[in-house]
Amino acid sequence: MTVIASPPSLSQHRNINGDFARPSNIQNNQSVPRPSQPPAENGLSNYNTANILSNRSNSVGNSSQVNGHAAGDIAAGGNHNLSPEQQELIRSRTENQRPAQRPRAQLARTQTDFGPNHQTRSSRPGATDEVAELRHFGDQYNSKEFLGALNSSFYMYFTDKRHETGGKPTDSAQVRPPEKWRDKDRQKTVSAALVLCLNLGVDPPDLIKTNPCASMECWQDTMNSTASNNKLLEIIGKRLQEQYENMSIKTRYKQYLDPSIEETKKFCVSLRRNAKEERVLFHYNGHGVPLPTPSGEFWVFNRDYTQYIPVSMYDLQTWLGGPCFYIYDISHAGNILANFDRFIDKHLTENAEARERDPNAPLQNYTNNIQLAACTKSEMLPTNPELPADLFTCCLTTPIDISIRYHVLENEMPSSLSLKDLSKVPGRASERRSPMGELNWILTAITDTIAWNVLPPPLFRMLFRQDLMAAALFRNFLVAQRIMRAYGCHPESSPAIPDTHDHPLWESWDLAIEIVLAQLPAMLAAEQSGPSYEYQHSTFFAEQLVAFKMYLEQGAPDQKPPPQLPIVLQVLLSQQHRLQALVLLSRFLDLGPWAVSLALTIGIFPYVVKLLQSPAIELKPIMIFIWGRIVAVDITAVQQDLLKDNGYQYFTNTMLPGAILPVGNPDDHQAMSAFVTAMFCRNFPQGKNVCLSPELIEACIIHIQNPQTPLLRQWACLCISMLWGDFPEAKWVGIRCFAHHRLCALVIDPIPEVRAAAIHALTNFLGIPDLTEQVAQNEETIASALVSITSDGNAMVRKELLVFFSTFVKRYQNKFLVAAYETLVEERDNLMYPGVDGQPKKPNGTYVNGFYDDNQTDDSRSSKMSHNSVQGSIWYHLLTMSVDPHPEVAQGASTVIEYVHEALLESPLGCETQVVVENLVALIKQKEKSSRQPSAAPTTRAPPPQPSAGPQASSKNDGHLSTGLRRNASVAAALKYLGLGGGASSDDLPAPSGNLSTQQKRSSSLQRPGVPAEWSTPPNQNDPTSTAARYEKARAPMPKGFKKRDENTFPMIPLQSSFFEWSIEYFREPQMKPNEPDEPGSDDYNARLWRRERNDRTLDSTQPLKGVAASKPWDINTAFFNNGSQPMKMCFHQFENHLAIADDRDSVCIWNWQKSNRLNRFSNGNPKGSKINETCFINEDDNALLMTGSSDGVIKIYRNYESEKNIELVSAFRALTDLVPSNKNAGLVLDWQQGQGKILVAGDVKVVRVWNAATEICTNDIPARSGSCITSLTSDQVAGHVFAAGYGDGAIRIFDTREKPSMAMVKHWRRHKQWITNIHMQRGGFRELVSGSRNGEVRLWDIRKDEPVREIEGMEGGGTMRTLSVHEHAPVFATGSDTHALTLFNVNGHRINNIRPYSPLLTTLAKSSPIACTAFHPHRMQLAVGSVGHGNVEVFSCVEKGG
């Protein structure tokens, strides 16, 4: 059920007299305020977890919420001024909890006819002035406070996620798999060779230095130093090592100063030997040797330093192998990089040849290498004396120092600072609160963000996430790209990355430097005993968080990655901004799995793992939310992390009673904790072991009894389920805690998701290896408790029950084989020994009241092994579920039955089973042969007694077998007639020959003395039915995602449940993001706004015509078309131009009556011998659904009913479980209450059954208080408590659902003496209650009075009244006769006019074509009519087109 809130000024209801009033100040975009968001002006610093993380709780129903609406809002409507009775009525409208789901669109409903409007009648121009007394309800509906409270919201039904998805998870083919964010090939740079070929004091032969020129190496001046060259070289080497150690202290560094060729080979080989398969770093500074050759050779020295010796890249690769990180700080460095891959290919070729010669030969790895070069092939390094000579090395190892110097050289520097002062910025890089540490923090965030935005995700992960050393060097490489480009050099890399020197974030970096430089003089003065100075921190991170927040407020258009995401990651390191960053991060993760994947790819996971150890209680709600989103996307990658350091206890402790959470909705966060715990235990034995404790199961038991939060109940069940799965120890702990008994109590939970979760847990409870008597008793007790769910109204619950049944069948297979065999024998005996009403009669058999006496010693049933056993009961329920109206349920049950039958034929009973089946085939053929003979006397046979836990409406003479017995031709032939498992269509089954006879006997037994029999029979008793030969079968719509099982495959059990996967998707869906229909300008919003305005226009144009309708003839033919089959039931949509027509079999046609064209035709899937009794539209103010009710007791609901291509079966359930499919008698009658969300169902049964559409369970069985069938139902559509029922014997009874079922009947009228054709209470106008019987008597009633208000003769000239239709608002009703006459009256009893609808028959024969069906449009002055004998449908009106 979806709650769509509506402000009072947009009330959806009409006023008491049926007029519509709209205040002049209505705004089309007015909507109910959503839960408050954190204030924007302080950047979410005043974070309220309840506001951000619990938007979904507004639709779940907690202590302060009622059915998705704040209890305070309802109270504000003035309930304190209402009478206790009115307050109870209001409470009843919100009595049903809503399942956990994403909040749906807040549609302001138009003012339709489902209730009163608190506005005055005079506010709508043209409204009729009706001053007569309102029927039935007196003054209680004139209370403005009462009506305002009723109008506060509009409820939509069968639109929840379980209906939209069919209870199935999204197809894996349509789901983008999570990106590989956790690389298994993560590496470390364990060793580094720092090679310096400087040869200080000697210039290379191919290099001519400028004067002055760059002279600093590692920030050491080599020109003005007094140290010796050797000492100076050592100082430079030491500084270079220190610079590298600032990036990675764990790497082992070794300096090689002016090495010879022999030393180079030796240390390279040693590096690879010590590093094994890890990465090594080779840093080469060749400022003192010749330039690299075009072939990629670089230079070192000979042992005596008298020659330069070239080193081939081929040789270096041989010595170092791979993986390796190469850095070339030398002019023309591009020559080395350009030739590198050529030599790698040569090595790989040699490896391949060696592998061919010897498959076991050890091979050297040469792959996974990274290179950084200072310039291209032809570029020289800059020689600016104000820059270091090793500018590239400085950019890679001291990016902040060189960035400050570069900024000063490129921009005007404060006069009080010198270049030497630039190196005196206070603090260290590891101290984030210091100026130097803050600059390092900002630079890391900026370079990470630039790389994130310009690199493909795989390349970003490889360079910036696999290796900490590689990530640091590549971040600094971006600095080198920017700085060296300004001096004519273009650094290169392999893998190549785009040029990033002009990225906009560099401006933020310049600003951060300027902020530090502006304060540097004051900070330096303070260090020299000057005035104290407090450093003013940069606003960089605060500004970036604001930008990230703006991105989130825009709704992440096109799922474009946010540029600031890496910055948010860096902000998590700050205690000051951590909470704010976590809030924004949670909002981002809430956008969906794609956002979670991005966050994991960027490297968020190590931070959130570390935060699990934080004791900060204010972080708990956010951490629970974030972890819920992470585990919903990729649980297998994080289970070990939760196990390590006991991270899982962060969530299990939250579930315990007494856990403190600083939020207003702790239940929702405990539900998230239960979800994380369940995912942690899922398919993870180590997780189950550490979580197993009586305290956790006791906590789950407490939570499943929480009446306020369905989400918590659901996930507490699933947490137990995951803990029990394949873990007997946990099941025994559950037994000792009586957990299985608590779960059984949830079979009547009002939320279908909770019921399904409880069954899922109980399914996993089955299977304790040691099947002792105690275990068997517990499992059978559970099975007995679940049997009643076979009649649940939700298909998802019934499918989950089938999974339990299939698991139970597999566990106790031998007992079910016996039950299946005995059922086959009973089937054969039913056919072989027909007795009274088809009951089996054997020699010496004894009947008691028409049934065998179970106490008789010769009763064969009492001797059956499966008699009164749990297995026998479940087997019968599986048989009845095989004819379930929902195709997925029927298919699942058929699979189980087929498996048992196949196993039965393979068992020791196989031979006996074969004989029984052959007997069945022969008996069926004999019966079919006799039924084809015209002189054959009709045989009757009633269904055998069904288990009392929940009998289903399957005709026993059609058999209980499935299509599973496919051993030979005789078995297949038997199953063609006996199989109800979906293998044969309804038209292939034998007609239920016994039904009519049984019903005639029942009717005759109920006849009143002295009353003709036809008085208590329906007027259409003798109407012909379309034969199969001339009836075109339509396609039956299937549920979304339905896949038919391949019947050629062997059936396997247990069936597999997809409920857990479907439930996980809750945490993958956006919760805090506004719904699409809530966004002004969105397609959904505009569509709903258009529909509302169209609905208002319809009401505006039709309401003034009510007075005209009561006096002007209805003789204007506005539409005429042929339905193609006999129309029997018709229903207009309130606002669309749709007319639904059900024929005399199982087809429904949807017509556009305005254009007279058919939009769709589909089959309702009725079994043979039944028909559609009722059709109606629900949720008509928005996207309507079509509901049908059939004479077999089944209700089906369709989405996209007008589209032949997109129509889907939303729901199907058996509303009446003891109806026999029939074309005669009343069958099923229903009345839909949109405002209450209830379906009143009755017919050929002894009760009026009340189904709740929100909970999809039967909430009440009200005794019909008569032996006659109920022929018609109508109810008050405002409060929905009072309904009226018309009976086959002419009685009318008024019921009030607020009373106890036994006391619900409050009024009884017997003025009619014949079959009630129809009884109807208007939704608007004076709310007239009109009844009519088959003899033409029409009466108007007031339920407060014992006598009718008015009596009208509806059949002038006599005849049988076939139809009676009442306009919802106009004081008009129409009667149709068996003489092809249609007469319209006003409620004063005055006949308006007679109509003779078109008939293709001759005039003299037209009178033999009775009126079959009539229907008024709910608002327009239009009347549709169809007749027997042809498919023509006409639409008449009392005004010209448009009225």
Side-chain angles (χ1 to χ4, degrees):
M1 178 185 67
T2 298
V3 181
I4 299 184
S6 173
S9 61
L10 295 177
S11 168
Q12 69 269 31
H13 299 312
R14 66 172 60 250
N15 60 31
I16 278 302
N17 291 323
D19 301 317
F20 291 83
R22 183 192 299 110
S24 59
N25 60 349
I26 290 181
Q27 299 178 0
N28 290 337
N29 60 353
Q30 188 172 358
S31 63
V32 174
R34 299 181 64 83
S36 59
Q37 298 291 333
E41 59 272 9
N42 59 2
L44 292 177
S45 60
N46 294 330
Y47 162 70
N48 184 341
T49 311
N51 290 340
I52 290 295
L53 302 184
S54 62
N55 281 2
R56 181 174 294 196
S57 66
N58 296 327
S59 64
V60 173
N62 51 41
S63 58
S64 63
Q65 300 268 330
V66 181
N67 215 8
H69 300 278
D73 294 341
I74 295 179
N79 286 5
H80 56 279
N81 295 326
L82 304 181
S83 66
E85 181 182 6
Q86 293 170 345
Q87 293 184 31
E88 175 62 27
L89 191 152
I90 294 169
R91 283 194 296 270
S92 69
R93 289 173 60 89
T94 56
E95 62 186 354
N96 300 315
Q97 291 178 304
R98 285 184 30 77
Q101 66 169 57
R102 182 183 176 189
R104 303 300 297 268
Q106 296 175 341
L107 170 67
R109 185 187 178 189
T110 52
Q111 304 169 16
T112 63
D113 55 354
F114 292 113
N117 191 306
H118 63 281
Q119 305 292 338
T120 60
R121 289 179 287 112
S122 60
S123 61
R124 179 182 294 273
T128 58
D129 185 17
E130 297 173 349
V131 297
E133 179 187 5
L134 179 72
R135 305 285 187 214
H136 319 303
F137 302 108
D139 296 333
Q140 67 169 342
Y141 282 4
N142 292 327
S143 167
K144 292 184 178 181
E145 294 83 0
F146 169 70
L147 299 178
L150 288 179
N151 296 334
S152 60
S153 57
F154 168 57
Y155 298 83
M156 293 177 62
Y157 300 92
F158 299 102
T159 57
D160 292 328
K161 181 188 174 184
R162 61 179 180 269
H163 303 114
E164 293 179 348
T165 63
K168 296 181 287 294
T170 306
D171 190 354
S172 58
Q174 302 176 2
V175 178
R176 182 173 62 184
E179 297 185 15
K180 294 182 179 180
W181 59 274
R182 198 159 206 173
D183 297 300
K184 296 181 179 180
D185 53 351
R186 192 176 182 89
Q187 292 181 331
K188 293 186 292 185
T189 302
V190 296
S191 301
L194 307 180
V195 183
L196 298 178
C197 295
L198 298 180
N199 197 15
L200 296 175
V202 180
D203 292 337
D206 55 356
L207 178 64
I208 301 176
K209 291 185 177 180
T210 62
N211 188 18
C213 68
S215 60
M216 286 188 291
E217 298 281 352
C218 293
W219 299 103
Q220 176 66 40
D221 193 345
T222 60
M223 298 293 293
N224 302 319
S225 175
T226 58
S228 64
N229 289 339
N230 291 336
K231 184 64 175 178
L232 190 58
L233 185 61
E234 292 177 2
I235 293 174
I236 295 173
K238 184 178 180 180
R239 286 197 174 182
L240 179 60
Q241 181 173 334
E242 290 174 351
Q243 291 171 188
Y244 267 105
E245 287 174 346
N246 288 334
M247 291 189 295
S248 177
I249 191 64
K250 295 182 179 181
T251 303
R252 298 186 299 269
Y253 299 97
K254 184 68 174 178
Q255 307 167 30
Y256 299 98
L257 309 178
D258 291 344
S260 65
I261 183 67
E262 293 81 8
E263 291 175 335
T264 302
K265 178 179 180 180
K266 182 178 180 180
F267 72 70
C268 286
V269 173
S270 176
L271 276 177
R272 173 48 56 200
R273 182 174 59 251
N274 294 333
K276 298 181 180 179
E277 299 299 323
E278 297 292 346
R279 178 173 283 142
V280 298
L281 172 67
F282 181 82
H283 179 103
Y284 176 72
N285 182 330
H287 295 171
V289 294
L291 300 177
T293 64
S295 60
E297 297 173 319
F298 62 95
W299 303 87
V300 291
F301 304 96
N302 64 356
R303 184 172 299 177
D304 299 329
Y305 295 97
T306 59
Q307 291 181 337
Y308 299 108
I309 306 299
V311 179
S312 169
M313 182 53 64
Y314 177 86
D315 293 336
L316 184 64
Q317 292 171 353
T318 303
W319 302 335
L320 288 176
C324 192
F325 199 127
Y326 298 91
I327 298 176
Y328 315 120
D329 188 355
I330 188 173
S331 299
H332 292 195
N335 283 325
I336 304 176
L337 190 145
N339 289 277
F340 187 88
D341 289 340
R342 177 167 60 90
F343 294 115
I344 288 292
D345 292 340
K346 185 176 181 180
H347 282 296
L348 296 178
T349 302
E350 292 174 352
N351 280 351
E353 294 173 353
R355 180 69 70 186
E356 291 180 359
R357 292 191 299 270
D358 183 5
N360 299 320
L363 301 178
Q364 174 70 47
N365 177 31
Y366 294 102
T367 59
N368 199 14
N369 299 297
I370 300 175
Q371 302 175 83
L372 297 179
C375 56
T376 62
K377 295 180 181 181
S378 58
E379 291 178 344
M380 299 294 294
L381 296 179
T383 58
N384 187 334
E386 295 181 329
L387 295 174
D390 59 346
L391 179 60
F392 187 60
T393 299
C394 289
C395 290
L396 295 179
T397 57
T398 57
I400 298 177
D401 293 333
I402 193 62
S403 294
I404 294 176
R405 180 177 287 261
Y406 167 75
H407 182 82
V408 170
L409 293 176
E410 295 295 317
N411 301 278
E412 183 178 353
M413 184 177 63
S415 57
S416 60
L417 291 177
S418 64
L419 288 177
K420 292 184 179 180
D421 293 333
L422 301 182
S423 61
K424 299 178 181 179
V425 176
R428 296 190 302 176
S430 58
E431 301 171 352
R432 293 192 187 92
R433 299 297 294 172
S434 66
M436 179 59 76
E438 186 176 69
L439 285 175
N440 182 68
W441 189 20
I442 294 174
L443 180 61
T444 302
I446 287 177
T447 50
D448 251 14
T449 303
I450 292 175
W452 163 257
N453 285 289
V454 300
L455 298 182
L459 183 59
F460 175 82
R461 289 196 302 272
M462 184 183 76
L463 300 181
F464 287 82
R465 292 296 180 262
Q466 286 186 1
D467 187 346
L468 294 178
M469 174 65 84
L473 288 171
F474 264 94
R475 280 196 294 265
N476 298 340
F477 180 73
L478 301 184
V479 178
Q481 279 188 327
R482 184 187 188 219
I483 294 178
M484 298 191 70
R485 183 184 180 88
Y487 299 102
C489 288
H490 299 80
E492 294 182 329
S493 68
S494 175
I497 63 175
D499 196 1
T500 62
H501 74 281
D502 56 351
H503 196 279
L505 271 178
W506 288 122
E507 297 180 4
S508 299
W509 175 235
D510 291 337
L511 177 60
I513 293 176
E514 287 184 3
I515 292 175
V516 172
L517 291 179
Q519 303 178 73
L520 185 57
M523 290 187 290
L524 294 178
E527 290 181 355
Q528 298 174 1
S529 301
S532 61
Y533 182 80
E534 183 179 354
Y535 175 65
Q536 302 297 317
H537 295 278
S538 172
T539 59
F540 171 78
F541 289 106
E543 293 169 353
Q544 295 301 318
L545 288 181
V546 172
F548 187 47
K549 179 187 174 185
M550 295 301 297
Y551 165 87
L552 294 174
E553 290 178 351
Q554 293 174 2
D558 301 325
Q559 296 187 358
K560 183 179 179 181
Q564 304 83 11
L565 189 57
I567 299 176
V568 177
L569 173 66
Q570 291 296 321
V571 175
L572 292 180
L573 301 174
S574 169
Q575 186 73 25
Q576 178 184 2
H577 300 289
R578 179 175 297 160
L579 183 60
Q580 182 181 359
L582 285 173
V583 172
L584 291 175
L585 179 63
S586 65
R587 291 178 59 184
F588 176 69
L589 299 181
D590 184 64
L591 296 177
W594 67 271
V596 176
S597 296
L598 286 178
L600 293 174
T601 303
I602 203 63
I604 203 74
F605 186 71
Y607 296 87
V608 296
V609 170
K610 188 175 181 180
L611 287 175
L612 290 180
Q613 309 303 322
S614 172
I617 192 172
E618 67 274 8
L619 296 182
K620 271 201 168 186
I622 315 173
M623 289 300 300
I624 292 172
F625 185 91
I626 290 174
W627 270 93
R629 267 54 192 171
I630 292 175
V631 301
V633 172
D634 197 354
I635 180 58
T636 57
V638 303
Q639 283 175 322
Q640 287 292 346
D641 296 274
L642 287 173
L643 181 64
K644 187 168 52 179
D645 299 328
N646 297 327
Y648 68 93
Q649 292 182 357
Y650 196 87
F651 307 98
T652 56
N653 291 339
T654 303
M655 296 177 60
L656 298 178
I660 300 176
L661 287 171
V663 289
N665 57 331
D667 288 351
D668 286 347
H669 288 81
Q670 287 182 322
M672 296 180 201
S673 296
F675 164 67
V676 175
T677 305
M679 295 292 286
F680 175 63
C681 295
R682 187 188 188 196
N683 301 326
F684 189 48
Q686 294 171 280
K688 295 178 182 179
N689 276 314
V690 297
C691 286
L692 178 59
S693 67
E695 291 78 15
L696 180 60
I697 293 184
E698 289 285 0
C700 290
I701 293 175
I702 293 174
H703 292 322
I704 65 177
Q705 301 174 71
N706 184 312
Q708 302 298 330
T709 311
L711 183 65
L712 179 56
R713 298 201 302 274
Q714 176 184 348
W715 278 105
C717 293
L718 293 177
C719 183
I720 296 177
S721 178
M722 291 299 101
L723 191 60
W724 278 350
D726 299 323
F727 194 25
E729 291 82 358
K731 298 176 185 179
W732 281 111
V733 174
I735 291 175
R736 288 189 288 270
C737 296
F738 301 100
H740 54 301
H741 293 295
R742 298 293 188 181
L743 290 169
C744 288
L746 293 179
V747 298
I748 58 172
D749 192 276
I751 304 303
E753 288 84 349
V754 178
R755 301 198 295 272
I759 300 173
H760 191 281
L762 292 171
T763 302
N764 278 340
F765 178 83
L766 301 177
I768 296 178
D770 187 10
L771 187 55
T772 63
E773 183 178 353
Q774 179 188 1
V775 172
Q777 182 179 1
N778 282 325
E779 292 181 349
E780 291 182 355
T781 300
I782 293 172
S784 300
L786 296 185
V787 163
S788 62
I789 309 182
T790 55
S791 59
D792 195 283
N794 183 264
M796 181 177 67
V797 176
R798 300 200 301 276
K799 287 190 294 183
E800 201 61 31
L801 178 64
L802 276 177
V803 176
F804 175 87
F805 281 168
S806 65
T807 307
F808 193 79
V809 168
K810 184 73 173 178
R811 185 161 173 80
Y812 298 93
Q813 180 170 318
N814 290 336
K815 294 184 178 181
F816 279 95
L817 294 181
V818 173
Y821 175 76
E822 291 177 343
T823 303
L824 288 171
V825 173
E826 180 184 1
E827 192 78 28
R828 180 197 61 187
D829 294 343
N830 288 348
L831 295 173
M832 188 176 296
Y833 306 108
V836 178
D837 286 344
Q839 301 210 29
K841 179 179 179 180
K842 294 186 179 181
N844 301 324
T846 304
Y847 287 104
V848 176
N849 295 327
F851 296 96
Y852 273 114
D853 185 0
D854 287 340
N855 295 321
Q856 300 298 319
T857 57
D858 59 352
D859 187 359
S860 63
R861 288 181 299 162
S862 62
S863 62
K864 293 197 305 181
M865 294 181 63
S866 62
H867 182 64
N868 286 335
S869 69
V870 174
Q871 287 77 15
S873 178
I874 290 179
W875 180 248
Y876 271 100
H877 280 82
L878 281 169
L879 292 170
T880 55
M881 292 180 78
S882 68
V883 290
D884 192 275
H886 197 280
E888 292 176 340
V889 178
Q891 179 172 273
S894 298
T895 301
V896 179
I897 295 171
E898 289 178 21
Y899 175 87
V900 173
H901 283 160
E902 294 286 356
L904 181 60
L905 290 172
E906 297 290 344
S907 70
L909 290 173
C911 296
E912 290 83 354
T913 302
Q914 188 70 32
V915 173
V916 173
V917 172
E918 291 174 354
N919 292 339
L920 282 170
V921 173
L923 291 170
I924 292 172
K925 289 182 178 180
Q926 180 182 353
K927 182 178 179 181
E928 285 293 295
K929 182 178 179 180
S930 62
S931 64
R932 295 190 186 101
Q933 298 176 0
S935 60
T939 60
T940 61
R941 181 174 57 83
Q946 295 284 337
S948 59
Q952 300 293 320
S954 61
S955 178
K956 186 61 188 281
N957 63 315
D958 287 341
H960 283 309
L961 301 180
S962 75
T963 57
L965 298 172
R966 296 189 301 272
R967 302 300 296 273
N968 53 37
S970 64
V971 174
L975 293 172
K976 178 180 179 183
Y977 299 104
L978 296 178
L980 294 180
S985 66
S986 60
D987 287 337
D988 295 331
L989 301 176
S993 59
N995 292 341
L996 180 57
S997 176
T998 302
Q999 291 172 3
Q1000 288 174 345
K1001 292 182 179 181
R1002 175 194 168 191
S1003 299
S1004 62
S1005 66
L1006 299 175
Q1007 293 300 323
R1008 292 167 289 164
V1011 175
E1014 65 269 13
W1015 284 20
S1016 299
T1017 57
N1020 59 351
Q1021 175 80 30
N1022 299 316
D1023 285 356
T1025 303
S1026 301
T1027 61
R1030 62 181 182 181
Y1031 187 80
E1032 180 183 356
K1033 189 74 175 178
R1035 182 180 66 89
M1038 292 290 110
K1040 185 175 183 179
F1042 174 73
K1043 295 180 181 179
K1044 189 174 182 179
R1045 186 177 69 87
D1046 185 2
E1047 295 184 358
N1048 295 322
T1049 61
F1050 190 86
M1052 299 298 295
I1053 64 171
L1055 303 176
Q1056 298 302 311
S1057 170
S1058 60
F1059 175 74
F1060 190 84
E1061 288 76 10
W1062 179 83
S1063 299
I1064 294 174
E1065 293 184 355
Y1066 173 93
F1067 294 97
R1068 296 173 182 164
E1069 300 168 351
Q1071 307 304 318
M1072 296 181 283
K1073 178 184 176 183
N1075 295 284
E1076 185 72 10
D1078 290 338
E1079 293 287 347
S1082 68
D1083 292 341
D1084 289 345
Y1085 181 93
N1086 292 337
R1088 287 190 162 179
L1089 183 62
W1090 178 87
R1091 283 193 291 268
R1092 196 190 74 190
E1093 293 177 346
R1094 175 208 59 188
N1095 299 350
D1096 282 341
R1097 288 195 303 269
T1098 300
L1099 302 176
D1100 285 336
S1101 62
T1102 57
Q1103 290 306 306
L1105 301 177
K1106 293 191 298 182
V1108 177
S1111 57
K1112 192 172 182 179
W1114 292 60
D1115 55 2
I1116 301 175
N1117 193 315
T1118 59
F1120 178 85
F1121 48 85
N1122 190 288
N1123 189 57
S1125 57
Q1126 176 63 60
M1128 295 302 294
K1129 291 290 180 180
M1130 295 189 294
C1131 179
F1132 279 99
H1133 191 291
Q1134 288 193 64
F1135 304 109
E1136 301 283 355
N1137 297 323
H1138 294 166
L1139 176 63
I1141 303 177
D1143 61 18
D1144 57 347
R1145 294 192 62 166
D1146 71 342
S1147 293
V1148 179
C1149 294
I1150 308 298
W1151 288 83
N1152 184 325
W1153 56 264
Q1154 195 172 53
K1155 297 181 180 180
S1156 295
N1157 68 305
R1158 193 176 74 184
L1159 304 177
N1160 189 18
R1161 180 175 182 266
F1162 61 91
S1163 170
N1164 197 52
N1166 291 7
K1168 187 174 182 180
S1170 65
K1171 65 176 182 178
I1172 302 174
N1173 286 127
E1174 300 283 355
T1175 61
C1176 68
F1177 293 101
I1178 66 176
N1179 305 339
E1180 292 176 89
D1181 282 282
D1182 196 46
N1183 290 319
L1185 307 176
L1186 179 65
M1187 178 187 294
T1188 65
S1190 305
S1191 59
D1192 59 347
V1194 170
I1195 289 179
K1196 294 185 178 182
I1197 299 167
Y1198 300 95
R1199 181 192 298 113
N1200 304 323
Y1201 57 85
E1202 76 283 3
S1203 172
E1204 183 176 356
K1205 181 179 180 181
N1206 300 321
I1207 185 172
E1208 296 174 357
L1209 178 66
V1210 176
S1211 179
F1213 62 98
R1214 202 173 298 279
L1216 296 177
T1217 56
D1218 47 1
L1219 272 179
V1220 177
S1222 172
N1223 271 321
K1224 308 303 179 182
N1225 285 4
L1228 175 145
V1229 294
L1230 67 83
D1231 186 61
W1232 164 249
Q1233 296 179 346
Q1234 181 74 42
Q1236 285 284 304
K1238 293 180 180 178
I1239 310 173
L1240 305 178
V1241 188
D1244 296 325
V1245 289
K1246 303 296 185 182
V1247 296
V1248 178
R1249 185 156 291 170
V1250 182
W1251 285 86
N1252 189 308
T1255 63
E1256 298 182 70
I1257 57 177
C1258 176
T1259 59
N1260 213 353
D1261 274 353
I1262 301 175
R1265 303 288 293 273
S1266 174
S1268 179
C1269 62
I1270 296 178
T1271 65
S1272 180
L1273 284 174
T1274 187
S1275 65
D1276 165 33
Q1277 291 286 344
V1278 180
H1281 295 313
V1282 177
F1283 69 89
Y1287 290 76
D1289 60 0
I1292 297 175
R1293 291 177 174 85
I1294 308 296
F1295 297 87
D1296 191 333
T1297 57
R1298 290 168 293 188
E1299 302 290 340
K1300 294 180 180 180
S1302 59
M1303 305 294 293
M1305 191 186 76
V1306 295
K1307 185 71 68 174
H1308 181 198
W1309 298 313
R1310 298 196 64 96
R1311 294 298 298 271
H1312 290 287
K1313 302 301 181 183
Q1314 297 192 25
W1315 181 283
I1316 299 297
T1317 301
N1318 191 20
I1319 181 170
H1320 187 82
M1321 181 184 294
Q1322 287 184 307
R1323 296 174 177 175
F1326 294 120
R1327 308 184 61 76
E1328 300 284 4
L1329 178 60
V1330 183
S1331 67
S1333 57
R1334 60 170 287 157
N1335 62 350
E1337 296 177 352
V1338 178
R1339 289 179 171 86
L1340 277 65
W1341 304 89
D1342 189 321
I1343 63 174
R1344 298 168 296 182
K1345 302 178 180 179
D1346 295 330
E1347 297 296 326
V1349 176
R1350 185 172 292 108
E1351 297 185 355
I1352 303 171
E1353 179 55 50
M1355 299 298 298
E1356 296 183 356
T1360 301
M1361 186 169 70
R1362 299 290 299 261
T1363 66
L1364 170 65
S1365 297
V1366 184
H1367 199 282
E1368 296 291 358
H1369 307 115
V1372 176
F1373 65 89
T1375 63
S1377 72
D1378 60 348
T1379 59
H1380 199 64
L1382 182 65
T1383 308
L1384 286 101
F1385 298 84
N1386 60 31
V1387 294
N1388 293 326
H1390 300 148
R1391 182 172 60 85
I1392 300 175
N1393 66 300
N1394 287 333
I1395 301 174
R1396 289 276 181 185
Y1398 169 81
S1399 175
L1401 304 176
L1402 296 175
T1403 304
T1404 56
L1405 299 176
K1407 292 184 178 181
S1408 63
S1409 175
I1411 301 296
C1413 54
T1414 55
F1416 278 104
H1417 192 285
H1419 299 297
R1420 300 180 185 275
M1421 303 304 131
Q1422 291 179 330
L1423 172 65
V1425 58
S1427 304
V1428 175
H1430 55 83
N1432 295 329
V1433 175
E1434 290 183 84
V1435 180
F1436 294 95
S1437 177
C1438 64
V1439 295
E1440 296 295 338
K1441 188 174 182 180

